[in-house]
Amino acid sequence: MDFLWMLLIGLLVGAVAKFLMPGNDPGGIIVTMFLGVAGAFVAGMLGRGLGWYGEGEPAGFIASVIGAILLLVVYRLFTGGGRHVHH
């Protein structure tokens, strides 16, 4: 059940990150979920490194969204994604 909850929250976090940074990114719901889950992981690691979270404590929702946005920026830098094609 925890895994399903993590995927649901990941989907929500990833969707918020993509909403805040619109663009033409490939991938559907799975990529969005991965972005959110990975964003929460990155936020948790950074937060623990900075002393904001204790060991094993999950990152907050806003921090997770910020982590997902950071991953989306890095992803777009490496793939050239997020650019709108104008005809």
Side-chain angles (χ1 to χ4, degrees):
M1 187 67 177
D2 287 338
F3 183 70
L4 291 176
W5 184 247
M6 180 179 68
L7 289 179
L8 181 64
I9 297 298
L11 177 61
L12 184 60
V13 167
V16 170
K18 283 190 169 189
F19 175 77
L20 293 174
M21 289 193 60
N24 263 353
D25 297 309
I29 192 169
I30 300 299
V31 172
T32 301
M33 263 191 229
F34 174 74
L35 178 69
V37 171
F41 180 74
V42 167
M45 285 183 53
L46 288 174
R48 280 186 286 285
L50 294 171
W52 296 343
Y53 303 116
E55 193 59 39
E57 187 178 355
F61 184 80
I62 294 172
S64 297
V65 170
I66 292 170
I69 288 172
L70 288 173
L71 289 177
L72 189 54
V73 167
V74 170
Y75 174 75
R76 288 179 180 178
L77 286 174
F78 282 103
T79 63
R83 297 186 183 140
H84 294 283
V85 178
H86 299 286
H87 296 280

